[in-house]
Amino acid sequence: MTIPSTISRRGLLRGFAVTLTAAFTSAWLREAKADANGTLTVALSDNPLTCDPINMASHDSQILSQTIWENLTEFTIDGELRPQLAKTLPTISGDKLTYSFELRDDVYFQNGQKLTAEDVKYSFEYMLDPANKAGRRPVFNRLSHVEVDSPTKLRVILKEPFSPWVYFQTKHMGIWPAGSREKYGDDYFKRSPKGLGTGVGIFEEWRPNDYVSFVRNPNYWQKGKPAWERLVVRIVPEDASRVAYLLSGQADIIGAPPPRDFARLRTRPHIQGETRATFGGWSVFLMNNARPPFDDVNFRKAMAHAIDRKTICERIYYGLVEQSGIPAPASSWWYDKQADESVAYDPDKARYHLKKSKYADEPTFDLMTSSVPYLLDAKDCVVFLQAELAKIGITVNLQTADTAVVQAAFAQGNYTAMYRNIMSPGEPTYFITQAFTPNQYMSKVSNYTNPKIDAMLKVIFAENDLKNAKPAFTDLMRLLADESPFVWIGYFNATNLWRDRVENFKPSRGLTINVHDVALS
């Protein structure tokens, strides 16, 4: 399916009217307005598939798992690592293989059971067991096991140095009661995990394609939190509908606001908005390096030079994406200017590399993207990419599909090219490890490996202060620029709009909407 490059104003308004009418005639909305009885309502563009953190596929919907589950450490909305269920950050052994934690002594699961080190051991070792087929197990596959020293003291034992793992827990892990997986089963954790977390919200109800709701955890260990009584996460794929919900007061916070409308909407009465840089959001042209024409490095280099990132970031995403041609935002400490400049927009260089490639004669490929926004709407961007590549003689066939179809193709490597906005925990090695090393969640996305990358990452993983690994990051950025296994457009911001009755909220640098501190006036 070819995406139209323009949509008529009349067609847009007609679609807006249809979705708005559907929204306002819903019986649910009449019964659960955003401003009723301390209910906080969040509208997402993406349809969640699970509440289970170790099997989460979509970043946006991690609001579900992060409301229910907690971890030893957390990655805060300001992009900082801090203890959560642990009293302090871990003590690390000299060989970088043992991380010692002491748990808080005042944490209870939502079913009233006290948290102990045995629960942590059980949770990690369940996730690490290949028999349980946890989707996020590869993220932690350098962990070996957990040893318990007392009800509040434990040690996480690694197979090899792997400093980033403590950053990844917020997104891809959770602590649940010992024995609970066998007692309740996978489906319970996926769709109705009532009482099994330690987080601010207790699961209440899931209505597929409509909403997921939670009630306040009255015994949450952080006293006074949450300040809401009920959280409702609405699934609203259409941009116009999410905006309508916000403006009408039927939603308090919305994700993925339309970039072209964001600046205007944040000035509307009773509406606030903010956009914050992230260190984990790739706006990226993904290429399956095992398929023609992307099995040719010169063709990939032609792609890297053919894309006008500045126009995309400034005129399509209206400044909500920070331009970068490498997997490092220009504002980050691991950014390398030389590497970025080596893949700068240059149509002449693009034609040069295209001519050197084995696909110089009328090349064509299919480019897939989601039919509904995920984090940022990519449809205008792919139309622009199609036009830009046509200028150097590359024909792009645009294909759109439902998010679930796109996600399956992404994970299985069942595609040729794909444009996506994807989000990591905000730690610089995460996506590089996932995409370009073997046996990871995203290994089939790129189908690209390089022993030099493995060697550079080994140096980086041995440093618990990652800034000390800057020379290795520099080498890594230059290698990825030279090989161009993907074409990076930039790093997108965390951007939200919310009503002025919402207090103590700001977009998270980890992107997932965090409502732990939110109060309603």
Side-chain angles (χ1 to χ4, degrees), residues 99 162-169 427 429 460-461 463 466:
Y99 287 64
F162 185 52
S163 58
W165 77 271
V166 289
Y167 294 88
F168 301 158
Q169 294 178 81
E427 187 279 335
T429 68
I460 293 168
F461 292 159
E463 283 287 350
L466 291 181

Side-chain angles (χ1 to χ4, degrees), residues 380-457:
D380 287 346
C381 183
V382 295
V383 170
F384 177 78
L385 290 172
Q386 182 187 49
E388 287 292 284
L389 293 172
K391 293 177 182 178
I392 64 168
I394 299 175
T395 300
V396 178
N397 305 311
L398 299 181
Q399 300 176 329
T400 61
D402 181 76
T403 301
V405 174
V406 172
Q407 182 62 33
F410 172 85
Q412 296 164 14
N414 187 24
Y415 77 102
T416 300
M418 183 182 292
Y419 184 85
R420 294 201 76 184
N421 293 299
I422 53 178
M423 184 68 192
S424 81
E427 187 279 335
T429 68
Y430 177 83
F431 270 148
I432 295 169
T433 303
Q434 289 298 298
F436 306 129
T437 64
N439 304 314
Q440 295 295 316
Y441 179 74
M442 288 175 57
S443 294
K444 293 180 181 179
V445 177
S446 70
N447 282 308
Y448 171 89
T449 59
N450 188 321
K452 293 180 180 179
I453 292 178
D454 297 336
M456 293 170 189
L457 287 173

Side-chain angles (χ1 to χ4, degrees), residues 58 96 119 125 146 267 279 327-328 337 339 357 368 383 509 511 516:
S58 162
K96 313 286 181 71
D119 300 309
E125 293 186 354
V146 177
T267 66
F279 284 167
K337 185 177 180 181
S357 79
M368 178 182 286
V383 170
R509 291 192 187 277
L511 202 85
H516 290 51

Side-chain angles (χ1 to χ4, degrees), residues 303-356:
M303 293 288 298
H305 287 296
I307 292 177
D308 183 354
R309 298 173 182 85
K310 187 175 189 293
T311 295
I312 293 173
C313 294
E314 293 181 0
R315 301 187 64 181
I316 295 178
Y317 288 130
Y318 294 85
L320 301 188
V321 173
E322 181 181 357
Q323 176 185 337
S324 180
I326 57 174
S331 59
S332 70
W333 58 265
W334 72 95
Y335 174 77
D336 182 71
K337 185 177 180 181
Q338 178 179 317
D340 193 5
E341 290 178 344
S342 73
V343 290
Y345 176 55
D346 189 329
D348 289 336
K349 285 186 178 179
R351 293 185 184 94
Y352 169 78
H353 285 292
L354 180 60
K355 187 175 180 179
K356 286 183 65 177

Side-chain angles (χ1 to χ4, degrees), residues 197-506:
T198 60
V200 294
I202 301 173
F203 177 88
E204 182 185 46
E205 182 181 19
W206 186 319
R207 291 192 182 181
N209 303 310
D210 194 354
Y211 70 89
V212 183
S213 63
F214 306 83
V215 296
R216 178 180 182 272
N217 179 0
N219 299 311
Y220 185 55
W221 58 272
Q222 293 191 53
K223 303 307 178 187
K225 297 182 182 180
W228 40 262
E229 293 299 322
R230 191 166 182 253
L231 169 65
V232 177
V233 178
R234 292 279 292 164
I235 296 91
V236 188
E238 302 85 4
D239 282 351
S241 294
R242 283 197 311 286
V243 171
Y245 274 63
L246 180 74
L247 296 179
S248 66
Q250 301 293 344
D252 293 300
I253 305 169
I254 66 169
R260 71 180 64 195
D261 298 323
F262 173 73
R264 175 181 56 82
L265 288 168
R266 68 191 296 190
T267 66
R268 291 285 298 266
H270 309 298
I271 303 298
Q272 297 184 51
E274 185 179 345
T275 181
R276 307 178 76 202
T278 70
F279 284 167
W282 280 9
S283 190
V284 62
F285 191 106
L286 303 167
M287 302 181 293
N288 187 338
N289 287 224
R291 291 189 181 184
F294 302 113
D295 58 343
D296 186 299
V297 67
N298 274 299
F299 191 89
R300 299 197 304 266
K301 287 183 176 182
M303 293 288 298
H305 287 296
I307 292 177
D308 183 354
R309 298 173 182 85
K310 187 175 189 293
T311 295
I312 293 173
C313 294
E314 293 181 0
R315 301 187 64 181
I316 295 178
Y317 288 130
Y318 294 85
L320 301 188
V321 173
E322 181 181 357
Q323 176 185 337
S324 180
I326 57 174
S331 59
S332 70
W333 58 265
W334 72 95
Y335 174 77
D336 182 71
K337 185 177 180 181
Q338 178 179 317
D340 193 5
E341 290 178 344
S342 73
V343 290
Y345 176 55
D346 189 329
D348 289 336
K349 285 186 178 179
R351 293 185 184 94
Y352 169 78
H353 285 292
L354 180 60
K355 187 175 180 179
K356 286 183 65 177
S357 79
K358 58 185 178 182
Y359 302 108
D361 186 21
E362 298 182 353
T364 183
F365 62 84
D366 296 333
L367 174 60
M368 178 182 286
T369 195
S370 176
S371 57
V372 298
Y374 174 57
L375 309 177
L376 284 174
D377 195 339
K379 291 192 287 294
D380 287 346
C381 183
V382 295
V383 170
F384 177 78
L385 290 172
Q386 182 187 49
E388 287 292 284
L389 293 172
K391 293 177 182 178
I392 64 168
I394 299 175
T395 300
V396 178
N397 305 311
L398 299 181
Q399 300 176 329
T400 61
D402 181 76
T403 301
V405 174
V406 172
Q407 182 62 33
F410 172 85
Q412 296 164 14
N414 187 24
Y415 77 102
T416 300
M418 183 182 292
Y419 184 85
R420 294 201 76 184
N421 293 299
I422 53 178
M423 184 68 192
S424 81
E427 187 279 335
T429 68
Y430 177 83
F431 270 148
I432 295 169
T433 303
Q434 289 298 298
F436 306 129
T437 64
N439 304 314
Q440 295 295 316
Y441 179 74
M442 288 175 57
S443 294
K444 293 180 181 179
V445 177
S446 70
N447 282 308
Y448 171 89
T449 59
N450 188 321
K452 293 180 180 179
I453 292 178
D454 297 336
M456 293 170 189
L457 287 173
K458 188 173 183 179
V459 172
I460 293 168
F461 292 159
E463 283 287 350
N464 289 98
D465 184 348
L466 291 181
K467 291 185 180 180
N468 292 337
K470 178 65 188 294
F473 271 110
T474 297
D475 292 341
L476 184 55
M477 294 300 105
R478 294 178 185 181
L479 173 64
L480 289 171
D482 188 54
E483 290 283 296
S484 293
F486 292 158
V487 174
W488 289 270
I489 308 301
Y491 274 65
F492 58 84
N493 291 357
T495 306
N496 295 109
L497 292 165
W498 61 94
R499 295 193 64 83
D500 58 7
R501 83 186 198 104
V502 175
E503 300 176 350
N504 304 327
F505 175 79
K506 60 181 177 179

Side-chain angles (χ1 to χ4, degrees), residues 50-69:
T50 182
C51 289
D52 189 348
I54 63 173
N55 288 301
M56 272 285 176
S58 162
H59 190 94
D60 222 12
S61 56
Q62 286 175 353
I63 185 175
L64 309 185
S65 58
Q66 291 176 33
T67 296
I68 300 168
W69 318 107

